Amino acid sequence: NVLEYCFIQPYVTAPLIAKRLNIPVQTVRRYLAKLSEKGILDEVYRLARGERVYANKQLLKILAIT
């Protein structure tokens, strides 16, 4: 699912997850927005075409320690 993928890949976009999980991009965007609202993901920047890039900062902190 979307949340599990965010723990595999610390930086994600909706199109990336949609392609990997074979689900509609709009569905992924809704999930990513909810995860961001709950503080699980952080929107770190927007690409030139307006696509949001999210980061799992807690996972990045863990990876930096090991």
Side-chain angles (χ1 to χ4, degrees):
N1 71 29
V2 173
L3 180 58
E4 288 174 354
Y5 193 82
C6 293
F7 281 90
I8 295 169
Q9 178 68 35
Y11 291 99
V12 295
T13 64
L16 171 71
I17 295 175
K19 182 177 179 182
R20 300 277 192 221
L21 301 181
N22 197 31
I23 55 179
V25 129
Q26 286 302 92
T27 301
V28 176
R29 283 188 181 116
R30 279 195 308 273
Y31 281 126
L32 292 176
K34 293 236 184 236
L35 292 170
S36 181
E37 287 172 15
K38 293 185 181 289
I40 297 168
L41 298 178
D42 293 311
E43 183 182 329
V44 290
Y45 58 91
R46 289 187 189 208
L47 300 174
R49 61 188 182 276
E51 194 61 54
R52 294 177 174 144
V53 178
Y54 293 91
N56 182 336
K57 290 197 175 176
Q58 293 300 319
L59 177 58
L60 290 169
K61 284 180 188 176
I62 292 168
L63 294 174
I65 293 171
T66 59

